Amino acid sequence: CLSDWSSDVCSSDLPAAEQAPANPYVDGLVRMWAASPLTGDTRLTRVQQYSHTAPDFEGVIEAPPGHPVPASIDERTVAAVYDVPVPAVTLAEIPGSGPGYLAVRVAPTHAATEAQREMTPDEAVKHVWAERVAARDGVAPGMHLVDHRLDDDRLVLLVEAEDKQMIRLPRLQITRALRPLGITDPELVMVETDGLARGVVTVYREHPLINIREATARDLTMDTDGRIALGLQHDGRPCRWPLYDPDLGAITDLVVGAPGSGKSVTLNTLLAAERISGVVSIVADAQNGMSLPEAQGRVYHFGAGIAAVGATLAAACAVGDYREQVSAANGWGGFKLGDPWPLFNVSLDEVNKILGAEADVPREYRKWVTGLIAHFQLTGRKFGGGIRFAGQSIHVTDLGDSEKIRANAKNGSVWLGRVNSTITQSMAGDMVTDGTEVTPIPKHFGSAAADVDAAWAGHETPPGPITAGRAWVFQGGRASSMRTFKAVKQDRTFPGLIALYESAPIPSLSPEEDRIFRQVYADALDAAERLLAGEDPYADNNQGDEDGGSKKRSQKAPAMPRSSVPAAPRTLADRVLDALADGPRRNKEIRAAVGVGEPGGPAAGSVDNTLSKLAEAGRVVRAGHGLWALPDAHD
């Protein structure tokens, strides 16, 4: 015990010869004492280091035989010899010995600990921040504490960067630096900055988002700035999410989360908010409607399946083109909410099944969908049509090659729930410019430090509550920590969300827009299903003609220019028929015309197989040995 250290020195042992130091550190202490002109002829003996992890030690100051230890050797002198604060030095007489011996203790680590224990909580916060964070060797040098507030459930720190420095508050390193205050869980540390000079660090006793309420119709009613409350931020403020921007018009959203992250609840909450706020919801779920069963029958349009995603986009593009035509005819420079058309938002769920690297769809179909997205971003968004992408693992680059698509996604709102660290880092790198350190969201609430302690003790700790709904929201280059309003599941659905849906009538497009949308959707769905089945999307359809003849399905409403919506993707059969349009050709010429041998081109065998199938269908004929032609051209 350090308080009894002087009595541990046995006076009967003092005249004995000093033994050699046990380690180099002790030897260095003895040498420093001997080298100082302040210590005279005295010696430092019987040195013991308390711990190899701290500099604290004790020993005996021994005067020459027959001489007392000089009175000039006091705490200040010893502190000067070892360059420690004066309070870290203690001198004491040794019981049973004369004045020629003096016990000494140099314990800067112990003194600092004791001093911190004696500090008030406010003093301790200031001391730890100054020494471990803002100091030159701290985790965030130059980030000075301007003010702080210690409440019952949180510690709030106002920080400002010193002149000529940008604000930098690394969340994980700050958590580590604040450990002397009992802070060990980075999930309890929240950081917000202005990206320039100032920031706020909030530390909670327990996670503030463990318990969160359900949404109300008032939360989900769009305000004059086009925003709703999607959930709560960590400090209890509403997390605002725009359905519409009065200055920029329709918006682009991105909702990303692994299974169990709360993505479906978040999407349902947004769709219910659109219905309550009078926004037309056009939805397509690539997972056959399984991701959003609550939305089916409760929104203007719900398309289920991969083919429905392309058809929904084609129909939405047609509506956007119609609005563009009417606006041009009337001299309108842009869209005005509700005059004469309502806002509509297209939500594409599980879109990673089409756009992701792992998507198992024909390349032509993916290219078609990407083209439709680009087209909609150029026309639909200008005339009151927003778009929302949702999936389990979307990277911004998955949205296609168009810089316009990626730029709109980056400038819109992003909800990033629990996903793997690679996606978190990629999305944060694309979306965050204010320096906020974005880390992956764990599956459960709870301290990792508790898991380490349990592992050391050989105990098993039960998992904390699941973090479903927890997310980082990126808007305008800034990141904030939030949780979507709670939804309680019963019988595999969410009755609370269903009640919110049904608290308002379903908004609809205008009658003419509705006609255009439904016709284009039906035609495009037929073409998309044919393509995904490996068939020709432009094959003749003999059903429905009064004269029994054949008629090609149009992808567009008659009122729309045929070129305004990107055509359904062309198959290899289409390209073979195009190659024969100018007259008979040989196999070699047909292969070259369709790109055999070029990067991404088809194999020669695929071309031969396609020719055989077209011949069986009567769409091409043999015009000679190795020569092919269209039936009309051959006649």
Side-chain angles (χ1 to χ4, degrees):
C1 177
L2 292 177
S3 62
D4 299 331
W5 64 277
S6 63
S7 63
D8 292 337
V9 180
C10 180
S11 59
S12 62
D13 291 340
L14 292 179
E18 180 185 1
Q19 297 180 357
N23 62 54
Y25 179 71
V26 170
D27 183 51
L29 295 172
V30 172
R31 291 175 182 274
M32 290 175 67
W33 184 269
S36 174
L38 302 175
T39 59
D41 295 331
T42 62
R43 295 187 306 148
L44 182 66
T45 63
R46 307 199 180 275
V47 180
Q48 294 183 12
Q49 185 182 10
Y50 294 120
S51 168
H52 291 292
T53 62
D56 301 8
F57 70 92
E58 67 178 37
V60 175
I61 301 172
E62 182 179 333
H67 292 270
V69 175
S72 61
I73 298 181
D74 56 10
E75 287 85 353
R76 186 177 179 81
T77 299
V78 178
V81 172
Y82 294 111
D83 191 24
V84 297
V86 174
V89 178
T90 304
L91 298 174
E93 295 181 358
I94 299 176
S97 70
Y101 300 95
L102 194 63
V104 61
R105 181 181 69 179
V106 180
T109 302
H110 177 72
T113 302
E114 288 298 311
Q116 188 168 322
R117 287 177 182 172
E118 295 174 0
M119 292 179 185
T120 66
D122 286 340
E123 292 172 338
V125 168
K126 293 177 182 178
H127 173 76
V128 171
W129 187 274
E131 294 295 322
R132 297 173 63 90
V133 179
R136 183 175 299 177
D137 59 346
V139 299
M143 304 298 115
H144 299 296
L145 185 61
V146 176
D147 198 0
H148 72 280
R149 183 175 70 252
L150 187 58
D151 299 330
D152 290 339
D153 62 342
R154 73 192 70 181
L155 167 65
V156 186
L157 307 162
L158 179 61
V159 183
E160 186 169 336
E162 66 182 30
D163 290 346
K164 299 183 180 179
Q165 281 192 247
M166 301 292 286
I167 191 71
R168 176 182 170 272
L169 296 172
R171 189 164 61 93
L172 297 180
Q173 291 93 322
I174 287 175
T175 303
R176 180 68 180 86
L178 298 182
R179 190 177 183 86
L181 300 177
I183 298 165
T184 59
D185 186 358
E187 285 296 303
L188 300 181
V189 179
M190 311 295 179
V191 175
E192 297 173 76
T193 76
D194 62 2
L196 294 174
R198 305 175 75 220
V200 172
V201 178
T202 307
V203 184
Y204 293 92
R205 294 187 185 278
E206 64 177 23
H207 205 291
L209 295 174
I210 289 181
N211 298 310
I212 189 168
R213 63 179 176 83
E214 294 186 73
T216 65
R218 183 176 180 179
D219 294 321
L220 305 187
T221 301
M222 190 166 63
D223 63 17
T224 55
D225 293 322
R227 305 176 306 166
I228 62 158
L230 180 60
L232 299 179
Q233 299 184 61
H234 62 85
D235 57 2
R237 290 178 296 165
C239 177
R240 300 294 181 184
W241 184 278
L243 301 179
Y244 175 74
D245 189 314
D247 296 322
L248 301 177
I251 42 79
T252 298
D253 289 347
L254 197 59
V255 178
V256 185
S261 66
K263 175 177 69 70
S264 295
V265 169
T266 300
L267 281 173
N268 271 304
T269 303
L270 289 170
L271 294 174
E274 289 178 352
R275 178 166 167 173
I276 291 170
S277 302
V279 180
V280 179
S281 297
I282 296 175
V283 184
D285 178 6
Q287 199 172 358
N288 296 317
M290 293 166 48
S291 293
L292 296 169
E294 296 79 11
Q296 292 201 50
R298 297 183 177 92
V299 294
Y300 166 73
H301 167 82
F302 190 96
I306 291 176
V309 172
T312 299
L313 276 167
C317 285
V319 173
D321 290 346
Y322 165 76
R323 290 187 176 186
E324 182 180 35
Q325 284 188 340
V326 175
S327 297
N330 286 276
W332 299 336
F335 173 76
K336 185 176 180 180
L337 188 63
D339 184 16
W341 304 298
L343 174 72
F344 72 94
N345 284 336
V346 179
S347 296
L348 307 176
D349 194 17
E350 299 296 344
V351 72
N352 48 289
K353 289 183 173 292
I354 299 171
L355 302 180
E358 75 285 357
D360 184 21
V361 296
R363 186 182 58 158
E364 292 84 358
Y365 184 77
R366 174 174 176 163
K367 184 177 179 180
W368 179 51
V369 169
T370 304
L372 288 168
I373 292 171
H375 182 82
F376 186 78
Q377 296 255 311
L378 289 172
T379 57
R381 288 189 66 248
K382 293 180 181 179
F383 300 99
I387 190 166
R388 177 179 300 122
F389 305 97
Q392 297 181 16
S393 59
I394 303 174
H395 292 267
V396 177
T397 52
D398 288 338
L399 300 182
D401 297 329
S402 169
E403 284 297 324
K404 183 75 172 178
I405 298 174
R406 292 199 292 272
N408 283 329
K410 291 179 182 180
N411 292 331
S413 298
V414 177
W415 186 95
L416 180 63
R418 178 174 54 80
V419 289
N420 64 50
S421 59
T422 300
I423 297 176
T424 299
Q425 293 166 3
S426 172
M427 295 289 287
D430 280 329
M431 307 292 181
V432 181
T433 59
D434 67 351
T436 300
E437 186 176 17
V438 176
T439 54
I441 293 171
K443 186 175 182 179
H444 298 278
F445 288 103
S447 172
D451 294 336
V452 173
D453 292 339
W456 170 251
H459 298 156
E460 184 176 356
T461 56
I466 195 167
T467 59
R470 279 271 289 111
W472 291 97
V473 167
F474 306 146
Q475 292 176 333
R478 304 188 66 179
S480 59
S481 177
M482 61 81 67
R483 193 176 190 187
T484 301
F485 287 121
K486 179 176 69 174
V488 179
K489 181 177 283 190
Q490 295 179 10
D491 296 329
R492 293 180 288 184
T493 59
F494 298 97
L497 287 173
I498 292 174
L500 287 170
Y501 272 116
E502 296 178 352
S503 65
I506 299 176
S508 178
L509 296 173
S510 68
E512 179 62 14
E513 290 175 323
D514 179 70
R515 183 188 68 79
I516 292 170
F517 183 92
R518 297 189 184 284
Q519 180 175 342
V520 173
Y521 178 78
D523 290 347
L525 182 63
D526 179 71
E529 288 175 341
R530 288 170 179 268
L531 175 66
L532 291 170
E535 301 174 3
D536 181 1
Y538 294 110
D540 292 344
N541 187 335
N542 295 324
Q543 298 179 357
D545 290 341
E546 294 180 0
D547 58 0
S550 64
K551 177 178 66 175
K552 284 189 178 181
R553 285 187 177 269
S554 167
Q555 187 195 335
K556 300 188 56 56
M560 302 301 301
R562 189 169 185 80
S563 61
S564 62
V565 175
R570 299 184 64 74
T571 63
L572 181 56
D574 295 326
R575 287 179 280 166
V576 169
L577 294 173
D578 288 345
L580 296 173
D582 295 330
R585 290 199 180 191
R586 298 191 178 277
N587 285 38
K588 182 177 180 180
E589 295 172 324
I590 296 172
R591 291 170 184 168
V594 299
V596 171
E598 298 178 1
S606 298
V607 177
D608 294 342
N609 290 336
T610 299
L611 283 166
S612 297
K613 290 181 180 179
L614 290 172
E616 292 175 3
R619 304 186 68 185
V620 299
V621 296
R622 290 185 180 274
H625 181 68
L627 191 67
W628 298 89
L630 298 176
D632 294 341
H634 180 62
D635 293 341

